[in-house]
Amino acid sequence: MDRGILTAMSYYDPSQFPFATPASQIAREAGALLKRYYEKGVATEFKGDVDIVTEADRASEKLITEHLRVQFPDHGVFGEEGARERLGAEYRWYVDPLDGTTNFAHGFPYFAVSMGLEQRTPGLRDDQDGEMVAAVIYEPLRDELFHAERGKGAWLNGKRIHSSACRQLQGALLATGFPSRKRHESPNIHFYHELTLRTHGLRRAGAAAVDLAYVACGRLDGFWEFNLNPWDTAAGMLLVEEAGGEITRFDGSKFALNSHEVLATNGHIGGEFREVFRKMFAGEEMTPIPTPKQFRERREAEAQK
């Protein structure tokens, strides 16, 4: 990152975020709408065999799309609930109007609004990514607003955030998720089992955008999941990168919005994390799980470096 930008952005100045500041206000309005629906309760319906949607999802996406149309009339919108506008534009917003719908419908307080902005240069194929340039994730029940712009760091309620300093998988707190549909075909339960035994703990809270935001601010040290959509990861990937973390595929190759796998870490445990995935995919014998004494010895050895 350019040192001049880093110095300038060591304090929060909303005027320096021409995309994220207006989008943050939109996300707050959408979040307030979701909170009202949450407090009164909503009926759910199925948009597939098992995937659910609520009137709150649709109302939130409508509000966001209408506000983006006014604030950024030349920008495109790609929303989870069907919004498709100006997709050939230079800038495209990926919108999840309610990330964590199942949580929301059950009254479980873990959900968010997620908005990620991609800049696409002329000539890009549909299967090629542009550059993510802005991100906003808002948790209305906690009133926590995460945002970032390329080269300007990641922020939470106006304070700079950074990924964690954890350097060993054994001391890491991780998160993952499971698909609503074809859950019985997902191999993730096997990874969940193995990584539960090799880490400090695992959380499965059901909102990928929030999980990625938590990696960015250091509440989680890593997150992985299979078969997410662009609106799930667009904002979170930029937050993680701007906070000093990394986001890749399971084999360490470059992450793309259409990737069927995402591995986000604090930038320190990625190599050890990916080695677990490599061995599991290859069917190799896993390294024996350390005993509590071996965990302690390794932790102490790391602390002396």
Side-chain angles (χ1 to χ4, degrees):
M1 184 184 298
D2 180 79
R3 184 173 295 276
I5 293 177
L6 181 61
T7 301
M9 297 311 300
S10 59
Y11 66 94
Y12 180 63
D13 180 356
S15 70
Q16 298 302 307
F17 297 88
F19 299 122
T21 293
S24 294
Q25 181 57 42
I26 296 171
R28 285 190 179 277
E29 291 189 35
L33 177 72
L34 292 178
K35 188 176 180 182
R36 292 194 294 272
Y37 275 108
Y38 181 80
E39 290 171 348
K40 74 176 184 179
V42 294
T44 62
E45 59 184 88
F46 288 92
K47 60 180 180 179
D49 292 335
V50 292
D51 289 326
I52 64 173
V53 65
T54 72
E55 59 180 325
D57 295 75
R58 297 191 178 105
S60 177
E61 183 160 298
K62 182 174 184 290
L63 182 153
I64 293 169
T65 302
E66 290 176 350
H67 281 57
L68 286 175
R69 196 180 297 139
V70 172
Q71 190 69 50
F72 303 107
D74 297 328
H75 289 195
V77 179
F78 194 103
E80 179 179 11
E81 302 310 327
R84 302 289 188 273
E85 298 186 5
R86 297 175 296 281
L87 296 185
E90 178 183 1
Y91 291 95
R92 178 189 297 176
W93 289 94
Y94 292 91
V95 174
D96 193 338
L98 173 48
D99 180 55
T101 298
T102 299
N103 291 342
F104 182 91
H106 285 270
F108 187 79
Y110 195 82
F111 58 88
V113 176
S114 180
M115 302 167 62
L117 179 62
E118 177 192 28
Q119 184 176 15
R120 300 180 59 81
T121 57
L124 276 180
R125 300 192 310 269
D126 289 344
D127 63 346
Q128 290 180 300
D129 285 354
E131 181 179 53
M132 295 307 303
V133 295
V136 173
I137 295 174
Y138 180 56
E139 282 190 274
L141 297 187
R142 293 174 58 88
D143 191 25
E144 290 197 331
L145 180 73
F146 299 84
H147 77 81
E149 285 195 13
R150 178 69 62 183
K152 300 176 183 178
W155 303 78
L156 167 55
N157 288 353
K159 295 182 179 180
R160 191 75 178 266
I161 57 174
H162 303 277
S163 55
S164 76
C166 178
R167 292 185 174 275
Q168 294 183 338
L169 197 60
Q170 71 178 42
L173 181 65
L174 307 180
T176 190
F178 293 86
S180 296
R181 58 188 177 86
K182 297 185 178 180
R183 186 174 298 166
H184 61 291
E185 297 177 5
S186 173
N188 202 26
I189 192 64
H190 305 291
F191 292 86
Y192 186 96
H193 170 79
E194 196 66 45
L195 284 158
T196 293
L197 299 175
R198 296 177 181 277
T199 63
H200 209 195
L202 266 175
R203 302 292 180 262
R204 193 282 195 204
V210 182
D211 293 335
L212 288 167
Y214 282 13
V215 173
C217 72
R219 293 173 184 167
L220 294 169
D221 304 299
F223 166 77
W224 87 93
E225 193 165 343
F226 292 81
N227 297 322
L228 290 175
N229 296 295
W231 50 77
D232 296 311
T233 57
M237 69 177 289
L238 182 60
L239 278 169
V240 169
E241 290 175 347
E242 286 295 310
E246 67 174 359
I247 183 164
T248 67
R249 292 184 172 101
F250 295 156
D251 63 0
S253 59
K254 183 179 174 60
F255 176 78
L257 290 172
N258 64 353
S259 296
H260 293 294
E261 53 195 43
V262 54
L263 175 58
T265 74
N266 60 2
H268 301 301
I269 63 171
E272 191 178 0
F273 209 152
R274 288 188 288 270
E275 180 63 9
V276 172
F277 276 90
R278 187 194 67 77
K279 286 187 174 183
M280 290 192 70
F281 278 120
E284 295 182 10
E285 184 175 350
M286 300 295 292
T287 304
I289 296 168
T291 65
K293 180 181 178 182
Q294 290 170 327
F295 270 125
R296 175 177 57 80
E297 290 172 345
R298 186 180 180 208
R299 183 177 67 250
E300 291 173 348
E302 178 66 26
Q304 293 174 3
K305 289 183 181 179

